[in-house]
Amino acid sequence: MSNTFIDVSRINQNLSRTSDVSPSTVLDILETAKKAKGLDMESTLILLQVEDPELQEAMFEAADYVKNLIYGKRLVLFAPLYISNYCKNDCAYCAFRASNSDIARRFLTQAEIRLETEALLRQGHKRILLVAGEAYPPGKDLDYVLESIDTIYSTWVDGANIRRINVNIAPLSVEDFRRLHDAQIGTYQIFQETYHPDTYKKVHLSGPKADYEWRLYAMDRAFEAGFDDVGIGVLFGLHDFRFEVAAMLQHIQHLEKTFGLGPHTISVPRLEPAHGAEIAMDPPAPVTDHQFKRIIATLRLAVPYTGIILSTRETPQMRREAFRMGVSQISAGSRTNPGGYGEEENAEEQFSLGDHRPMEEVIVDVMKLGFIPSFCTACYRLGRVGKDFMDLAKPGLIQAYCLPNAMTSFAEYLEDYAKPETREMGYEMIDSMMDDLPGEKVRQHVAEALEKVRDGHRDVYL
Ligand code: SAM
Ligand code: SF4
């Protein structure tokens, strides 16, 4: 195997060293983790392997503590928008794989993208994750994606538009990344799927994605092209989760060392059943619910300032439990087929979803759990991205912005989209959170901003 920053033998050595440690060692690690300065690989691997229920509970509490310290009680909401399922890769786990002739290939025209965006705006969404398979539709090139971004940003419904588009499309060359960056997107996101080189080879059978290193160095090219915010992830279920998390830490360390900046977000997709993808029905390294919760809590403690994204692949129950373990962003009301928001049937979806609830139901649930749903896009719009964001996030200052902006953006949602009973519940929550704001001056600013929202002003943020 070639020489990359993923050091397989070092991970394996650490794995064998960390499988059996005393409870006091675990408790010491949790104390260190609560300082929110992150953890090294050895401590991370120890936490990932904690089986004792009491120690696990202590770990979940520590993760909740750190998440609150950094982000407060807010959960950012977004929805994916699939623009095309054309793909030239053969990923053994995905329904969009080139060899799956059972699905109809489809890409959205700009008019259809506008309709999908309108449907999402009517639900109250302000953030979209644009997703596509790795092939431009017939006769198209990168311009198709750039035009789609432009279409989404320029679609308005009742005075509202999408304020941040994150993008999950195949890795590009530095030159093409520059063009994507110029389209004013938020985070560029791509998952390595598995960092384990041999497993990677087994599940990526053909196409450009079969090149492990091209994908591994995608974030390097994105940073070189000028991106500030990138999102990484692993598709859990393909290889041993402990190896994957350790390798993800090596990826983060590599980015920090090379560019002075780690990823903005980490996604934690778990393999879900997908049509025409046997491996997805019977994952080679399944991750149990218990292990999954440990992964999320450990990540929150190991890289405290990084956003953790949980999608609707997971069931409502798992999502509820994961919120308190450090998840900071969730998708809601999602469809994973192109054209899914305008259609009754979910034909040609990429994989099965675990959470089918409409957005408002998710919002009510999130509130009942004590979290405030946030549609905030302020940091990105004010240029608080990349290192500037991390400099704020690391000492916990982001709470002075995150919570106020969660409150104002949620108030907008309540005014414009919520049913009366949701609105009442939402404002009660907002009122109760005034005391959590850091200082009288911030409280005053937020009270004024909320008044503006009630008076009909929109896009009010601090
Ligand atoms: N085609 C591009 C790629 O593969 O990077 C970008 C979009 S792809 C549609 C988005 C992600 O879906 C993949 O990175 C993969 O992790 C995830 N995915 C694919 N099949 C899945 C499955 N059966 N269950 C859960 N997630 C899956
Ligand atoms: Fe194509 Fe992405 Fe699915 Fe692989 S995961 S088959 S690249 S859409």
Side-chain angles (χ1 to χ4, degrees):
M1 184 64 214
S2 58
N3 223 354
T4 70
F5 53 80
I6 299 298
D7 187 341
V8 175
S9 53
R10 201 178 136 228
I11 297 175
N12 286 336
Q13 278 163 15
N14 268 296
L15 262 174
S16 56
R17 260 211 311 269
T18 52
S19 58
D20 188 21
V21 299
S22 69
S24 66
T25 307
V26 174
L27 292 173
D28 286 349
I29 293 172
L30 293 181
E31 276 316 302
T32 308
K34 279 162 122 178
K35 296 190 182 117
K37 301 262 185 280
L39 294 175
D40 60 17
M41 190 203 288
E42 202 171 316
S43 302
T44 303
L45 283 172
I46 289 173
L47 292 189
L48 281 172
Q49 297 174 92
V50 169
E51 294 285 354
D52 179 288
E54 267 178 45
L55 286 177
Q56 278 192 27
E57 197 44 43
M59 205 172 131
F60 297 156
E61 276 168 23
D64 190 33
Y65 170 85
V66 167
K67 194 241 161 181
N68 269 331
L69 195 70
I70 295 175
Y71 291 101
K73 283 270 178 200
R74 72 99 163 98
L75 262 181
V76 169
L77 270 82
F78 72 94
L81 200 172
Y82 280 68
I83 59 168
S84 156
N85 64 11
Y86 280 84
C87 197
K88 55 185 165 194
N89 294 318
D90 204 15
C91 307
Y93 44 81
C94 178
F96 293 172
R97 62 194 292 193
S99 63
N100 186 4
S101 50
D102 284 348
I103 66 163
R105 298 292 159 174
R106 172 156 189 211
F107 72 95
L108 301 185
T109 62
Q110 298 307 313
E112 287 168 330
I113 290 173
R114 201 170 285 284
L115 286 177
E116 290 280 280
T117 309
E118 284 171 1
L120 287 168
L121 283 168
R122 274 190 215 102
Q123 288 184 34
H125 279 292
K126 298 287 185 284
R127 285 173 170 247
I128 276 182
L129 175 68
L130 181 147
V131 188
E134 181 162 2
Y136 297 118
K140 308 272 184 202
D141 54 21
L142 183 61
D143 284 342
Y144 167 68
V145 175
L146 303 179
E147 259 177 59
S148 305
I149 291 168
D150 198 41
T151 301
I152 296 169
Y153 275 138
S154 62
T155 299
W156 292 78
V157 174
D158 298 332
N161 75 330
I162 295 297
R163 298 173 186 159
R164 176 171 177 138
I165 304 176
N166 297 330
V167 169
N168 185 326
I169 60 166
L172 303 171
S173 63
V174 175
E175 196 184 321
D176 281 349
F177 266 135
R178 270 201 197 102
R179 296 185 64 211
L180 186 64
H181 180 249
D182 288 347
Q184 309 292 322
I185 70 159
T187 308
Y188 170 71
Q189 179 188 92
I190 204 79
F191 313 146
Q192 185 63 24
E193 321 294 13
T194 170
Y195 284 97
H196 191 257
D198 291 343
T199 308
Y200 190 94
K201 219 180 189 168
K202 276 189 208 140
V203 298
H204 298 108
L205 302 168
S206 63
K209 192 166 167 182
D211 184 342
Y212 174 89
E213 287 186 28
W214 174 250
R215 196 158 178 101
L216 191 62
Y217 286 90
M219 296 316 180
D220 291 60
R221 296 195 298 281
F223 274 139
E224 271 172 51
F227 275 96
D228 294 295
D229 288 348
V230 299
I232 63 172
V234 158
L235 183 53
F236 286 102
L238 295 174
H239 187 72
D240 182 340
F241 68 93
R242 300 165 307 161
F243 178 94
E244 301 291 18
V245 173
M248 194 142 59
L249 286 191
Q250 290 189 330
H251 193 177
I252 294 170
Q253 279 158 8
H254 163 77
L255 294 174
E256 283 177 342
K257 203 167 113 204
T258 317
F259 301 97
L261 185 64
H264 186 65
T265 55
I266 294 176
S267 295
V268 289
R270 258 199 302 187
L271 206 49
E272 294 298 332
H275 191 76
E278 269 165 39
I279 203 177
M281 311 292 179
D282 185 16
V287 171
T288 65
D289 286 357
H290 256 95
Q291 291 165 337
F292 190 59
K293 284 189 270 181
R294 243 184 285 152
I295 291 172
I296 295 171
T298 303
L299 282 172
R300 174 49 66 222
L301 297 171
V303 277
Y305 47 86
T306 307
I308 299 181
I309 303 180
L310 192 69
S311 77
T312 49
R313 290 174 180 87
E314 298 298 333
T315 60
Q317 185 51 31
M318 175 48 74
R319 276 155 59 92
R320 280 183 200 117
E321 293 189 51
F323 295 163
R324 79 172 182 105
M325 273 151 218
V327 163
S328 54
Q329 294 189 27
I330 57 166
S331 50
S334 305
R335 297 285 160 85
T336 65
N337 55 319
Y341 295 105
E343 289 164 8
E344 290 292 305
E345 283 292 308
N346 245 3
E348 286 99 43
E349 64 179 2
Q350 191 201 4
F351 48 77
S352 308
L353 297 180
D355 186 350
H356 301 267
R357 296 170 301 167
M359 163 112 126
E360 185 150 356
E361 220 176 301
V362 175
I363 284 187
V364 170
D365 205 30
V366 163
M367 281 196 283
K368 282 187 183 154
L369 293 165
F371 294 94
I372 178 164
S374 174
F375 297 90
C376 173
T377 53
C379 280
Y380 147 76
R381 318 251 305 290
L382 289 171
R384 288 195 296 251
V385 293
K387 202 164 169 337
D388 291 345
F389 176 86
M390 289 303 169
D391 287 347
L392 280 173
K394 280 186 180 168
L397 281 176
I398 206 77
Q399 197 165 355
Y401 295 101
C402 279
L403 189 55
N405 289 325
M407 290 159 88
T408 55
S409 63
F410 187 42
E412 269 193 42
Y413 171 84
L414 296 173
E415 291 292 327
D416 294 341
Y417 309 99
K419 293 184 188 133
E421 57 274 24
T422 311
R423 189 174 309 140
E424 195 180 323
M425 191 178 170
Y427 272 122
E428 266 172 32
M429 167 156 243
I430 289 175
D431 287 346
S432 73
M433 286 192 157
M434 289 302 265
D435 289 341
D436 297 343
L437 292 170
E440 194 46 46
K441 208 165 145 200
V442 179
R443 266 193 286 281
Q444 185 62 32
H445 281 148
V446 172
E448 284 164 17
L450 287 170
E451 203 47 49
K452 274 189 173 175
V453 173
R454 281 200 179 95
D455 281 351
H457 293 265
R458 291 295 170 261
D459 207 8
V460 181
Y461 52 84
L462 274 68

